[in-house]
Amino acid sequence: MRYVSTRGHAPAVDIATALSAGLAPDGGLYVPETIPQAAGVAPGMSLAQTADALLAPFFEGSPLASRLPGICEAALDFPAPLRRLAGHDHVLELFHGPTAAFKDFGARFLARALEALRRPDDPVTTILVATSGDTGAAVAAAFHRRPGFRVVILYPHGRVSPRQAHGLGCWAGNVRAFRVDGSFDDCQRLAKQALVDEALRRRVSLGSANSISLGRLLPQAAYYAHAAVEFQAAHGGLLNFVVPTGNLGNATACWLARRMGLPIGDIVLATNANDVLPRYFGGAEYAPAATRATLANAMDVGAPSNFERLRHWHATDEVLRGSLSSHSVDDDAILAAIDDAHRRHGEPLCPHTATAYDVLARLRAAGDRRPWAIVATAHPAKFEAIVEPRLGRVIDPPPALADCLARPASAEPLAPDYDALVDVLLH
Ligand SMILES: *Cc1c(COP(=O)(O)O)cnc(C)c1O
């Protein structure tokens, strides 16, 4: 399989190059030249086996192909259970990894894949990551103590929860966390600029782990494939998904699984008050906007980076609008959803998952009776300051998160300024 840029002005590359580069040299995102049909995904498989079967065609012809089963086993060694909430409402729990959010799947896969690509005399690779909270922690955990790698994290100061900040700053060793005086979009712009800076890249070996990274996108398709195949085996029919959405990595992976032929029905993107996608899917021009701070802060994105991939894969805007839909959920509705899920199901939800819960409630109110799964993107204990007062009780963090919280944490200040970042990367 060969990989091309969404912008069409860069040569086609193999998967090893696409994984290491992050961004294509023309500033576009790498996509596979064709989307293969899934073969060999069957009920009864583990998540790792599902990923191996699903992703094998993407690695065909690469020296990494023979390493793929081992990469999947090592990276995807925790479950993604599909649980029934009530009636035809389900929840796909993606928070059982080391940092209690779905980004563990992609970050761990990418780390193992890049490790498999290293040659003994390669220079140390700096993984540069801009984060609105959960990415940085997942990437730090995935690369922590991995020889040959160091991690530089950029996050918007004051815009992540105290526990998220702790999860970014608790690693030490080969991980440095920087709190940037700016928004997430500022952080992302700085990281993108560094990754296309040829002069800089001659002096330091840079790697990307943002949601633009193909090595994060591909493995995320595996849990949708696994859930949909298991659901079909047990109940027959298609499973529909509501995906809490920010940079569109998770939802694009769901779309990819459906396009590969997995039994997935409708896919609805739940956003917070940052409503660029609902406006677009409602018929307006695509218009990136300044980011607004919300309770679901890992989705505070005004210019969803994977949109470029979705556009590449659909011939026209009309076709794309027919393929997905999107609804915005404001902070009041997030809080009401947290209350409602707890009252009706005894289910604590994180604020991101609450956006999907609210969207499903609206679909049910409009008479939709099909099977749906809302995607639980983080454990509610990560957002205790929001969730606990609503529930009137303490939510215990899962063990890995509790370990991280027990360690000291620190971050260094950084101006939202490219020269300041270059300075950090060179020293
Ligand atoms: C990153 C994140 C999202 C948004 O996922 P995208 O792939 O960026 O759309 C949603 N919820 C949580 C908890 C996240 O960490």
Side-chain angles (χ1 to χ4, degrees), residues 100-103 132-135 164 211 216 220 243-252 296-299 301 304-306 350 352-353 375-379 382-383:
F102 82 92
K103 294 194 175 78
S132 51
D134 289 334
T135 300
Q164 280 180 311
S211 60
R216 280 183 49 194
Q220 291 175 168
V243 186
T245 295
N247 263 318
L248 260 171
N250 203 0
T252 299
N297 65 17
M299 294 156 50
V301 177
S305 49
N306 279 287
C350 93
H352 313 82
T353 309
V375 177
T377 49
H379 193 284
K382 269 191 122 158
F383 302 91

Side-chain angles (χ1 to χ4, degrees), residues 95 100 163 338-339 342 346-351 378-399 401-402 405:
F95 52 65
R163 272 195 187 165
I338 290 172
D339 295 349
H342 191 242
E347 187 80 13
L349 299 181
C350 93
H379 193 284
K382 269 191 122 158
F383 302 91
E384 86 293 355
I386 296 165
V387 179
E388 287 180 351
R390 306 302 295 190
L391 273 45
R393 66 178 169 94
V394 170
I395 302 167
D396 292 328
L401 185 56
L405 293 172

Side-chain angles (χ1 to χ4, degrees), residues 277-286 318 321:
L277 293 171
R279 284 171 186 274
Y280 169 81
F281 283 101
E285 283 297 305
Y286 178 67
E318 282 331 293
R321 289 192 185 107

Side-chain angles (χ1 to χ4, degrees), residues 69-396:
I71 292 169
C72 293
E73 284 299 333
L76 310 178
D77 61 347
F78 53 93
L82 180 71
R83 264 196 326 109
R84 201 169 75 102
L85 264 186
H88 295 295
D89 295 358
H90 300 76
V91 52
L92 179 62
E93 292 184 352
L94 301 182
F95 52 65
H96 295 283
T99 70
F102 82 92
K103 294 194 175 78
D104 285 322
F105 292 99
R108 286 169 64 81
F109 184 91
L110 177 67
R112 296 292 175 150
L114 293 185
E115 219 176 326
L117 283 172
R118 278 188 70 78
R119 286 163 306 227
D121 51 349
D122 279 352
V124 170
T125 297
T126 299
I127 302 295
L128 176 60
V129 56
T131 184
S132 51
D134 289 334
T135 300
V139 169
F143 285 94
H144 187 228
R145 298 201 173 127
R146 292 280 161 200
F149 293 95
R150 65 172 190 149
V151 178
V152 170
I153 298 170
L154 310 179
Y155 72 90
H157 185 37
R159 304 238 187 135
V160 307
S161 79
R163 272 195 187 165
Q164 280 180 311
H166 203 105
L168 298 169
C170 73
W171 301 97
N174 63 339
V175 178
R176 284 175 83 186
F178 292 89
R179 47 183 165 81
V180 175
D181 206 0
S183 69
F184 169 66
D185 288 337
D186 291 326
C187 298
Q188 189 158 252
R189 185 173 39 74
L190 288 173
K192 277 192 177 180
Q193 192 174 345
L195 288 163
V196 296
D197 184 338
E198 297 283 336
L200 177 67
R201 296 193 75 150
R202 276 193 290 275
R203 300 178 66 187
V204 55
S205 165
L206 279 187
S208 154
N210 283 323
S211 60
I212 53 175
S213 164
L214 196 66
R216 280 183 49 194
L217 181 68
L218 294 178
Q220 291 175 168
Y223 43 75
Y224 290 109
H226 187 259
V229 164
E230 291 297 334
F231 181 86
Q232 188 182 48
H235 308 286
L238 305 179
L239 185 57
N240 306 283
F241 287 97
V242 188
V243 186
T245 295
N247 263 318
L248 260 171
N250 203 0
T252 299
C254 186
W255 177 87
L256 187 63
R258 184 176 73 184
R259 179 68 177 267
M260 292 179 74
L262 277 306
I264 294 169
D266 285 357
I267 302 168
V268 180
L269 320 175
T271 72
N272 57 26
N274 292 280
D275 59 357
V276 171
L277 293 171
R279 284 171 186 274
Y280 169 81
F281 283 101
E285 283 297 305
Y286 178 67
T291 306
R292 277 192 265 172
T294 76
L295 295 173
N297 65 17
M299 294 156 50
D300 288 350
V301 177
S305 49
N306 279 287
F307 186 73
E308 198 166 320
R309 282 197 170 106
L310 284 178
R311 247 197 180 154
H312 173 87
W313 277 321
H314 293 83
T316 65
D317 284 331
E318 282 331 293
V319 178
L320 175 49
R321 289 192 185 107
S323 172
L324 300 163
S325 60
S326 182
H327 298 285
S328 164
V329 180
D330 66 20
D331 279 353
D332 288 342
I334 286 175
L335 294 176
I338 290 172
D339 295 349
D340 190 71
H342 191 242
R343 192 172 59 243
R344 291 178 51 186
H345 308 296
E347 187 80 13
L349 299 181
C350 93
H352 313 82
T353 309
T355 64
Y357 183 92
D358 180 69
V359 168
L360 178 54
R362 284 193 249 166
L363 290 168
R364 292 297 184 217
D368 193 312
R369 298 166 74 172
R370 295 172 298 165
W372 284 88
I374 63 167
V375 177
T377 49
H379 193 284
K382 269 191 122 158
F383 302 91
E384 86 293 355
I386 296 165
V387 179
E388 287 180 351
R390 306 302 295 190
L391 273 45
R393 66 178 169 94
V394 170
I395 302 167
D396 292 328

